[in-house]
Amino acid sequence: MQTDLFTVSKLFTERLFRIPDYQRGYAWREKQLKDYWNDLEQLEDKSHYLGVLTLEDVPEEVVKEWKDDKWIIDSKGYTPFYIVDGQQRLTTTIILIQAITEVVKEGEKINYTSKEEIKRRFLWDSKDDGISRSYIFGYEKDNPSYEFLKTKIFNESSDISFPSQDTIYTNNLSFAKDFFLKKIVDLDIRSLEEIYKKVTQQLLFNIYAISREIDVFVAFETMNNRGKPLSHLELLKNRLIYLSTKFQVEDYEKDNLRAVVNESWKNIYHYLGKNKDNPLDDDLFLRNHFLLYFGKSLTDEDDPDYRGYLRMRRSYAHDYKDYLLENHFTTRNIEGVGKNGGKAIKTKDIYDYSKSLKDSVEIWYQILNPSDSTFSKAEKEWLDKINRLGIEFVAPLIMVFYQKVKKAALKLEFLKALEKLIFLNELVRYRHYMTFDPVLFLEMSSKLSSGKSNAEDIVKELTVAFESGRDSKEIWKIIQAEFIRSGYYGWRGIRYFLYEYDLHLKSQSKTQREKIDWDVYIDTPEDYHTVEHIYPQRARRECWTKLYTAYTNKERSVLRHSLGNLVPLSRPKNSSFSNKCFQDKVGDISTKVGFRYGSYAENEIATYEKWGAVEILQRGVTLLDFMDDRWSLKIGDRGKKVKMLGLDFVEEKEGITKKRRK
């Protein structure tokens, strides 16, 4: 390693930098950008060491293909390098320099340097102001970030007719540029000069030129453990490209396999980052695909009950990376390379696996983002419901079902059966009491994928599993006992259930306006809540105490956390609202705040004159009636529902007879 320290200005002297295909894209987000900016702000006259920049000489046969850069390499003596390590820091620096050029007004100079001179030094240069333009820093051309960096970050025009493809990484590039623009847009010219000086003169790198004796792919894996860690998906891409160079096949076969891996990952990151407001997790996708792709091969073929799936899920839910990178996709498993320590892999194995990932990711995206899918309106509605309930255990099954089945009616039947089963599972707080195990969803996935079961078989299995659980007297005893012991407020399915009830009320109203935003509903700020105790948890005011004088402290606690006393709010409210008297909670025209102006369920509560124990009981029974009808649960008659609520004591104290019940 060279011991000299290079400023950014010296670093960008007769060098071209390219980010190779085995590298991940730009991964920094707000935390890393804030750290970078804070380091800059704290610099005074001292320098700041950014670390080692590891570079690899670009092979001559590759450089020959860089037609846009040929002139600057041949005529101006620029040397091309691949960045093996340090690209996140260097990319961030270049984005900040670009942001500075955008803020500087026309005709102004930064430290006696014009905008055009800055761009030619750090961003791009052109041959005699002609059309031949070489980018000093960038990605290889087949990387989707290449066009994005060029057009959206550097604001350059494109020679291609199709737009750049958005990915998680291109979203991060945009985020970084916006971050810096917000920091510097209001700075005066002197402050901009200070920032530019710090970036170009006070940030220091060591350069480490990687030798030909060191395998660059292995070096990438070992070096990139600083800063923001590589995801397993990013490491896997590098590994597969590495393996593509090790097969003893013709070069064109190696090149084709490498191209397939790159194209697959391009597609993967496009879909994982397509929803900019909610990008999908790399490793969640990889893990679910892993369970589907390798699940059956990791279990005992003679295991008729698929108990191996349970062992596999427990052992590989977090360690799947080790299986992929340490046990399966390794050089020792390539025929003719090293000692074969596992199942031999061929070029076709990597090809098939990469294609499977590519084919699966679009379905994965649409399953998790139904509103941006090609599915029918009804399918979108039911997929939304399953996403709200929790999709983790069933995602592999949905993915393979949607890959196999084209009939919308059958897919809808499948989604409805699946949602019912998940909801029943939510009712049982301790899932080991159920007559089925969630790991059986993996069994269904594998059987459907391998052709051992068809789609109709899967729907039937889901239906049988639901009916078996629903018809179990033992399970209903457990459900009732848990609700009586812990109340309904702590039930993990309470938000979903109340949301569904609000949708039910909406369907019966004259308007179709959505009154509850699910994302706000489940993600509330501290000290706020979206499920309201109508009878407050701290009911100290006389307007409340006088209604409940006949009840013991324990009975009041049961009433507070009972199902009928809970209502979903259209917007988060703090504790000061919770403790108000009932009529104040209902609201009036002058305040425009209260149940009268909230969700459909709140509107329903606003029709009551008072809120005592009888009202809590009656509304609880109404909600269980809805639950019974909505999920075909067969809870039983009104008496059984009162027992499930644990409110028998209300009937006794209020003198509610069987005749009055009817």
Side-chain angles (χ1 to χ4, degrees):
M1 180 172 68
Q2 298 181 29
T3 57
D4 294 343
L5 293 174
F6 289 80
T7 64
V8 171
S9 183
K10 287 183 178 179
L11 197 63
F12 280 77
T13 300
E14 297 183 349
R15 292 186 181 90
L16 289 182
F17 298 104
R18 292 292 177 269
I19 299 169
D21 60 358
Y22 57 80
Q23 273 270 24
R24 67 170 166 183
Y26 185 65
W28 277 17
R29 293 292 294 176
E30 188 169 16
K31 180 185 182 301
Q32 293 81 17
L33 293 171
K34 281 184 175 179
D35 290 343
Y36 180 98
W37 183 258
N38 289 338
D39 289 341
L40 274 182
E41 285 190 317
Q42 292 171 17
L43 284 179
E44 294 181 358
D45 295 328
K46 296 181 180 180
S47 297
H48 179 68
Y49 179 59
L50 279 183
V52 177
L53 185 65
T54 305
L55 304 176
E56 176 199 12
D57 290 332
V58 181
E60 289 185 14
E61 61 269 21
V62 175
V63 174
K64 289 178 181 178
E65 302 298 319
W66 292 6
K67 296 179 181 179
D68 290 343
D69 303 313
K70 181 175 174 57
W71 72 273
I72 199 170
I73 293 170
D74 292 345
S75 302
K76 301 188 85 171
Y78 275 64
T79 304
F81 293 99
Y82 280 141
I83 302 174
V84 178
D85 185 37
Q87 67 120 330
Q88 305 294 330
R89 289 160 284 164
L90 200 57
T91 305
T92 302
T93 301
I94 289 300
I95 292 173
L96 176 53
I97 290 173
Q98 168 64 29
I100 290 172
T101 65
E102 292 185 28
V103 170
V104 174
K105 297 176 182 177
E106 289 298 325
E108 284 186 335
K109 290 189 175 184
I110 296 286
N111 297 336
Y112 307 104
T113 308
S114 68
K115 289 168 57 172
E116 289 70 25
E117 289 171 324
I118 293 172
K119 289 181 178 181
R120 286 180 180 274
R121 179 66 178 273
F122 298 103
L123 306 178
W124 53 263
D125 200 357
S126 62
K127 182 180 179 181
D128 298 328
D129 295 322
I131 62 173
S132 294
R133 178 162 293 189
S134 180
Y135 290 89
I136 309 300
F137 174 89
Y139 297 86
E140 290 194 289
K141 270 200 169 184
D142 60 352
N143 190 315
S145 293
Y146 170 83
E147 278 295 320
F148 192 92
L149 184 75
K150 173 179 161 183
T151 59
K152 305 299 183 182
I153 305 302
F154 295 161
N155 299 331
E156 295 291 302
S157 60
S158 177
D159 297 328
I160 61 175
S161 57
F162 55 87
S164 60
Q165 190 179 45
D166 287 351
T167 68
I168 287 177
Y169 298 135
T170 60
N171 294 345
N172 292 341
L173 289 169
S174 283
F175 184 88
K177 183 176 179 180
D178 292 342
F179 176 88
F180 287 129
L181 285 173
K182 289 174 184 176
K183 292 289 185 183
I184 67 175
V185 67
D186 294 323
L187 297 181
D188 57 30
I189 189 66
R190 183 168 295 180
S191 298
L192 284 173
E193 287 182 328
E194 186 66 24
I195 293 293
Y196 179 73
K197 179 184 176 184
K198 288 179 179 180
V199 171
T200 59
Q201 303 297 326
Q202 292 175 246
L203 297 182
L204 302 177
F205 285 93
N206 276 123
I207 291 181
Y208 175 66
I210 201 162
S211 69
R212 292 291 181 183
E213 288 75 29
I214 297 176
D215 197 313
V216 69
F217 297 98
V218 177
F220 169 77
E221 288 189 21
T222 56
M223 288 178 176
N224 281 271
N225 59 359
R226 301 182 294 275
K228 187 174 181 180
L230 292 165
S231 71
H232 302 155
L233 189 62
E234 290 165 335
L235 286 167
L236 183 61
K237 176 193 175 187
N238 172 69
R239 176 63 60 82
L240 296 185
I241 290 177
Y242 170 49
L243 293 181
S244 74
T245 68
K246 296 297 183 181
F247 287 105
Q248 294 183 0
V249 296
E250 297 292 339
D251 285 345
Y252 70 85
E253 282 281 286
K254 296 180 182 181
D255 292 342
N256 286 342
L257 183 57
R258 186 168 184 159
V260 167
V261 173
N262 273 317
E263 186 61 31
S264 295
W265 257 256
K266 184 190 299 186
N267 204 55
I268 290 166
Y269 279 113
H270 167 64
Y271 280 106
L272 292 182
K274 191 175 181 183
N275 183 345
K276 295 181 181 180
D277 296 327
N278 186 29
L280 303 180
D281 182 78
D282 297 28
D283 292 330
L284 182 62
F285 166 67
L286 182 61
R287 185 182 71 186
N288 276 279
H289 180 270
F290 167 83
L291 292 170
L292 195 59
Y293 195 84
F294 291 103
K296 192 65 183 82
S297 65
L298 296 173
T299 60
D300 184 359
E301 291 289 343
D302 297 323
D303 182 359
D305 296 323
Y306 288 83
R307 292 299 89 195
Y309 270 101
L310 183 57
R311 295 191 298 274
M312 183 274 291
R313 184 171 183 96
R314 285 173 178 167
S315 60
Y316 287 102
H318 301 291
D319 298 333
Y320 63 95
K321 179 201 72 149
D322 292 336
Y323 177 84
L324 290 171
L325 297 172
E326 305 298 331
N327 299 336
H328 191 67
F329 291 118
T330 64
T331 53
R332 66 176 179 269
N333 289 342
I334 295 179
E335 292 181 318
V337 178
K339 185 177 180 181
N340 192 343
K343 183 180 179 181
I345 56 174
K346 302 177 181 179
T347 54
K348 189 175 187 305
D349 295 316
I350 292 179
Y351 175 86
D352 289 344
Y353 180 65
S354 299
K355 283 281 291 175
S356 178
L357 282 168
K358 179 185 177 184
D359 294 342
S360 298
V361 71
E362 183 176 1
I363 295 292
W364 178 257
Y365 170 80
Q366 293 192 59
I367 288 168
L368 295 176
N369 294 274
S371 61
D372 189 27
S373 72
T374 57
F375 307 145
S376 68
K377 183 179 178 181
E379 288 175 80
K380 292 178 182 180
E381 177 186 343
W382 285 91
L383 276 168
D384 271 332
K385 292 178 189 296
I386 293 171
N387 272 285
R388 293 175 195 135
L389 259 177
I391 202 168
E392 179 183 2
F393 283 106
V394 299
L397 177 59
I398 299 175
M399 186 156 61
V400 70
F401 199 96
Y402 266 71
Q403 286 175 327
K404 292 281 185 179
V405 179
K406 303 304 178 187
K407 293 180 180 179
L410 185 55
K411 288 190 285 186
L412 187 59
E413 185 182 1
F414 161 73
L415 293 175
K416 289 181 177 181
L418 188 59
E419 190 268 352
K420 285 172 69 174
L421 185 55
I422 301 171
F423 183 79
L424 180 60
N425 200 35
E426 287 298 304
L427 276 174
V428 185
R429 300 188 188 212
Y430 302 101
R431 287 172 174 159
H432 60 267
Y433 287 126
M434 292 295 287
T435 55
F436 69 95
D437 192 301
V439 79
L440 294 183
F441 291 128
L442 290 175
E443 173 196 343
M444 295 180 193
S445 305
S446 179
K447 290 194 296 186
L448 181 60
S449 180
S450 64
K452 292 179 180 179
S453 293
N454 58 36
E456 290 79 5
D457 293 333
I458 297 300
V459 174
K460 184 177 180 180
E461 280 192 69
L462 292 172
T463 303
V464 169
F466 169 78
E467 291 174 349
S468 175
R470 179 198 62 187
D471 297 340
S472 169
K473 293 181 180 179
E474 187 63 28
I475 284 179
W476 280 108
K477 286 179 182 178
I478 293 167
I479 292 172
Q480 181 176 319
E482 283 300 317
F483 278 132
I484 290 174
R485 185 177 69 85
S486 304
Y488 285 80
Y489 186 66
W491 172 37
R492 63 177 174 240
I494 188 63
R495 278 180 169 75
Y496 179 75
F497 171 73
L498 293 177
Y499 185 83
E500 283 294 303
Y501 181 65
D502 208 67
L503 291 179
H504 164 69
L505 294 178
K506 171 192 166 186
S507 69
Q508 296 183 326
S509 70
K510 295 180 180 180
T511 175
Q512 291 300 302
R513 183 168 66 89
E514 295 285 353
K515 292 191 176 184
I516 299 179
D517 183 319
W518 175 259
D519 292 331
V520 174
Y521 180 57
I522 61 169
D523 186 19
T524 56
E526 192 175 352
D527 296 328
Y528 281 74
H529 56 270
T530 52
V531 173
E532 170 75 3
H533 290 76
I534 307 167
Y535 169 39
Q537 296 187 74
R538 296 180 179 84
R540 298 188 179 94
R541 299 188 183 190
E542 184 183 0
C543 57
W544 288 115
T545 57
K546 68 182 182 181
L547 289 174
Y548 295 88
T549 54
Y551 296 94
T552 66
N553 288 336
K554 183 178 179 180
E555 289 169 340
R556 291 173 195 166
S557 178
V558 171
L559 284 163
R560 289 187 183 104
H561 299 300
S562 189
L563 185 61
N565 192 49
L566 304 174
V567 63
L569 302 177
S570 61
R571 55 185 177 180
K573 293 183 174 66
N574 59 29
S575 57
S576 63
F577 175 84
S578 300
N579 297 324
K580 290 181 177 181
C581 294
F582 179 69
Q583 289 303 325
D584 293 329
K585 285 188 170 189
V586 169
D588 56 42
I589 297 176
S590 63
T591 62
K592 297 285 184 181
V593 175
F595 296 148
R596 186 175 286 132
Y597 306 98
S599 65
Y600 292 99
E602 287 180 85
N603 299 161
E604 185 181 54
I605 299 299
T607 63
Y608 286 80
E609 294 182 3
K610 65 183 179 68
W611 195 255
V614 173
E615 285 73 23
I616 293 174
L617 170 62
Q618 301 290 18
R619 183 168 179 271
V621 171
T622 298
L623 288 172
L624 287 183
D625 286 341
F626 163 71
M627 184 187 290
D628 212 348
D629 292 340
R630 167 68 171 78
W631 286 279
S632 307
L633 291 176
K634 298 183 180 179
I635 297 172
D637 60 17
R638 187 184 189 281
K640 288 184 178 179
K641 288 169 183 170
V642 172
K643 286 184 178 180
M644 186 169 167
L645 293 168
L647 297 180
D648 311 63
F649 63 86
V650 175
E651 291 198 326
E652 294 172 8
K653 293 195 174 185
E654 300 292 342
I656 300 176
T657 65
K658 289 184 178 180
K659 186 175 181 180
R660 283 183 61 188
R661 286 178 185 172
K662 295 177 181 178

